[in-house]
Amino acid sequence: MLRLTDFIIDCPDTMKLAAFYSEVTSRPVKEGSSGEWAGIQFGEIELAFIRVDDYRAPQWPDTEHPKQFHLDFEVDEFEPEQRRVLDLGATLKQEFIGPNGYGWQVYTDPIGHPFCLCRNRGVIWNDQGPTWPERA
């Protein structure tokens, strides 16, 4: 049996980065989180943060210091979420929104990890993946 239980992100300050993603996702930081390990629970999967003494931030899109991973967050209303994550300390890096409203924007969190806000109007998500609406 194989089951994904954690997605762990290196960082210099676990509680600070956990607080950022707690605000982004509107989910609480787990009780018992500390300066060494902090987490946010998403059903059976925990988004976790582990302290690394010699942390070196990714420099997206620089390949010398690659991103290594990124998180995607689906949003219903793009503009309010964009304002909210910017107010929380994110930085907008690049936009990939097409004229039909499908697309995403790339941000970095306060210590340089990239993440995306995705807006896919009319897309229905199920266990097999997205079902796209008819396009004119």
Side-chain angles (χ1 to χ4, degrees):
M1 179 180 98
L2 180 101
R3 183 176 72 211
L4 178 64
T5 59
D6 298 278
F7 187 91
I8 303 164
I9 299 174
D10 293 352
C11 62
D13 185 330
T14 61
M15 295 304 289
K16 187 173 181 179
L17 195 59
F20 171 80
Y21 281 106
S22 174
E23 290 293 325
V24 167
T25 63
S26 299
R27 292 185 177 265
V29 175
K30 285 178 61 175
E31 276 190 49
S33 291
S34 71
E36 295 300 316
W37 179 279
I40 301 170
Q41 200 69 41
F42 291 85
E44 294 182 1
I45 299 172
E46 180 176 342
L47 179 59
F49 310 91
I50 189 168
R51 189 176 67 75
V52 173
D53 288 328
D54 190 23
Y55 174 76
R56 288 183 224 152
Q59 302 296 313
W60 186 89
D62 176 10
T63 57
E64 187 174 336
H65 300 93
K67 64 180 179 174
Q68 300 173 6
F69 74 89
H70 76 270
L71 301 172
D72 283 348
F73 297 102
E74 181 75 26
V75 296
D76 293 327
E77 297 285 333
F78 185 77
E79 289 77 11
E81 292 301 328
Q82 178 186 33
R83 282 193 304 276
R84 195 170 70 80
V85 300
L86 291 173
D87 288 347
L88 291 170
T91 302
L92 177 63
K93 293 294 190 174
Q94 197 163 5
E95 183 172 308
F96 298 94
I97 302 290
N100 61 1
Y102 295 100
W104 63 94
Q105 285 190 323
V106 180
Y107 297 82
T108 53
D109 68 23
I111 63 168
H113 297 115
F115 69 93
C116 296
L117 295 183
C118 304
R119 181 174 61 183
N120 296 303
R121 288 187 185 140
V123 174
I124 299 170
W125 294 88
N126 57 43
D127 291 342
Q128 290 75 41
T131 302
W132 298 89
E134 293 295 319
R135 295 183 180 154

